[in-house]
Amino acid sequence: MKKIVISTGGGDAPGLNAVIYAVVRACYRRGWEVYGSRSGYSGLLDTDELIRLGLDDVEDIYSTGGTIIGSTNKGNPFSMAIENLAGEVQVIDFSDKITNNFNRMGFDCHIAVGGDGSLEIARRFAEKGMPVVGVPKTIDNDLEATDRTFGFDTAVSTATEALDKLHSTAKSHDRVMVVEVMGRESGWIALYSGISGGADVILIPEIPFNIEKVCEKITDNELHEKDYAIVVVAEGASAKDGQVISKGSGEVGRDEVVLGGIGEHVAAEIRERTGKDTRSLVLGHLQRGGSPTTFDRLLAMRFGAAAVRLIEDGVFGHMVALYSQHMNSVPLADAVRSRKKVQLDSDKVLTAREIGICLGD
Ligand code: F6P
């Protein structure tokens, strides 16, 4: 009999519930107990926030977005910023308390489902002696140690569907539509959705752009009697001589800045330089919502089941990973070492160029 606790940390991604579903069912078959820690580590910090998860709790959840146990991208338990009534911020390390609660509750393993931030926290707990297994999640697909993270396919589908819809309105009004998509410092969502959604221009963080090249493409479209254009901009993209645009952190306890604003900036430049009627929109959290695609559901369930197999085999301090279509595992330290970027010589980049998409360079 084993007792497992699962947490979901960082920004949510479609497929989190499918992981929980697979973990609970795979554990049930082995006669193991599963608990969910609410909102990342809250359940391990305050054990009233632990929820016992049985088969009935997870019935049907595999097809739903979000996470039934909640998530947070604030509050690293190793340095949690707490604001008192006087508005003063204190930084407290709760990691010992969490480790003690984990041991006191008699847990055998913690399954940490998260992106690079949450997995780095999991790695630090593993270093403190907690048996941990990581599961890679993020719509950004920016984890180096796995071919794919779940959530990405759904985000790309949502963005592609939005681009399909924008074509007709852009065409009706002879407009340039600039669409800002998520992805942080990686251009995966922009590249995949931009190619699939027939974009004229795709701007990604890996290729600092020259706005003149972007405008040339739009003008060239007109020469070929296409009076509208679709421009996809990754939130982390920047001009060759420019900076990544962010809205700052803005929230107590949040380490990463909130990116956003490059879409409107690019739209303003295009408007001014080409005189074209130009609109911008930010797809934002639509990309994180909704039911996971079949690909994401299946990947999430495969990850969940593989995590349980690792526990059974006594392999801790590892993250499950997809490698050449197969389930694999890598040490957490390798999993969080670097972020996966779009390779400029990859066939996706070549495809974009060959079908005439301007990448801003
Ligand atoms: O990492 C996932 C992600 O959706 C990024 O693409 C985006 O920059 C960020 O999270 C947004 O975070 P928040 O939900 O806090 O606005």
Side-chain angles (χ1 to χ4, degrees):
M1 218 304 257
K2 288 191 192 300
K3 206 169 159 182
I4 310 300
V5 60
I6 181 168
S7 68
T8 51
D12 67 346
L16 284 169
N17 281 333
V19 177
I20 298 171
Y21 173 88
V23 165
V24 170
R25 291 179 70 101
C27 286
Y28 179 82
R29 288 193 62 247
R30 290 165 168 84
W32 301 356
E33 278 184 357
V34 183
Y35 286 76
S37 170
R38 278 192 208 276
S39 303
Y41 284 85
S42 297
L44 282 168
L45 191 54
D46 168 3
T47 51
D48 287 347
E49 296 288 309
L50 286 171
I51 332 162
R52 173 91 170 83
L53 295 172
L55 285 189
D56 289 352
D57 302 299
V58 299
E59 197 192 348
D60 298 345
I61 66 166
Y62 55 84
S63 61
T64 61
T67 158
I68 59 163
I69 54 178
S71 191
T72 178
N73 49 16
K74 284 188 277 187
N76 179 343
F78 286 86
S79 54
M80 203 179 281
I82 309 272
E83 193 170 348
N84 66 19
L85 289 176
E88 295 154 352
V89 177
Q90 258 187 304
V91 177
I92 304 174
D93 180 354
F94 286 107
S95 60
D96 284 338
K97 186 169 180 194
I98 286 174
T99 310
N100 291 342
N101 281 344
F102 176 90
N103 292 331
R104 192 170 52 80
M105 289 294 295
F107 287 126
D108 295 287
C109 183
H110 172 207
I111 298 181
V113 190
D116 59 344
S118 312
L119 293 170
E120 166 59 13
I121 294 168
R123 186 197 64 76
R124 293 182 69 183
F125 275 112
E127 217 172 50
K128 280 174 88 76
M130 184 188 281
V132 177
V133 169
V135 174
K137 151 270 31 165
T138 169
I139 65 161
D140 303 335
N141 195 37
D142 60 353
L143 286 175
E144 188 70 71
T146 181
D147 290 349
R148 276 293 180 94
T149 53
F150 68 84
F152 171 66
D153 188 66
T154 311
V156 169
S157 299
T158 300
T160 304
E161 199 186 328
L163 295 179
D164 287 347
K165 289 187 173 164
L166 287 170
H167 272 273
S168 57
T169 175
K171 195 171 181 175
S172 309
H173 290 268
D174 292 345
R175 272 180 177 156
V176 178
M177 300 295 303
V178 179
V179 187
E180 182 180 303
V181 297
M182 284 184 166
R184 297 207 66 82
E185 286 93 14
S186 300
W188 297 104
I189 299 177
L191 187 64
Y192 277 48
S193 64
I195 296 174
S196 316
D200 300 282
V201 179
I202 303 173
L203 304 177
I204 58 175
E206 292 84 347
I207 307 178
F209 63 86
N210 177 344
I211 193 69
E212 279 170 19
K213 296 280 176 195
V214 175
C215 294
E216 266 171 32
K217 170 69 185 170
I218 291 164
T219 317
D220 189 59
N221 266 2
E222 289 194 320
L223 292 177
H224 293 87
E225 289 173 15
K226 183 179 177 190
D227 293 327
Y228 72 98
I230 304 286
V231 178
V232 178
V233 188
E235 62 181 1
S238 60
K240 261 194 179 126
D241 48 0
Q243 280 178 343
V244 173
I245 303 182
S246 90
K247 298 172 180 160
S249 159
E251 291 156 338
V252 171
R254 189 186 164 118
D255 295 335
E256 284 188 316
V257 292
V258 178
L259 298 178
I262 187 68
E264 182 45 44
H265 173 77
V266 167
E269 289 274 352
I270 293 173
R271 201 177 294 125
E272 197 183 305
R273 289 165 186 261
T274 65
K276 292 281 297 176
D277 199 5
T278 305
R279 295 285 188 274
S280 75
L281 74 150
V282 179
L283 285 192
H285 294 82
L286 273 180
Q287 295 158 96
R288 294 230 305 254
S291 178
T293 57
T294 309
F295 181 91
D296 278 341
R297 279 181 213 190
L298 180 60
L299 181 60
M301 287 194 211
R302 289 172 73 198
F303 279 156
V308 175
R309 289 198 298 274
L310 281 189
I311 299 171
E312 192 164 53
D313 294 344
V315 181
F316 301 115
H318 276 60
M319 178 189 86
V320 293
L322 182 71
Y323 180 71
S324 291
Q325 321 262 9
H326 298 288
M327 282 293 116
N328 198 6
S329 79
V330 290
L332 278 168
D334 295 345
V336 296
R337 192 156 291 140
S338 58
R339 286 197 171 160
K340 184 168 63 185
K341 300 277 187 184
V342 171
Q343 296 294 311
L344 300 189
D345 57 358
S346 72
D347 82 283
K348 277 105 189 176
V349 170
L350 297 181
T351 301
R353 294 193 193 284
E354 275 169 23
I355 61 178
I357 297 173
C358 165
L359 297 178
D361 56 348

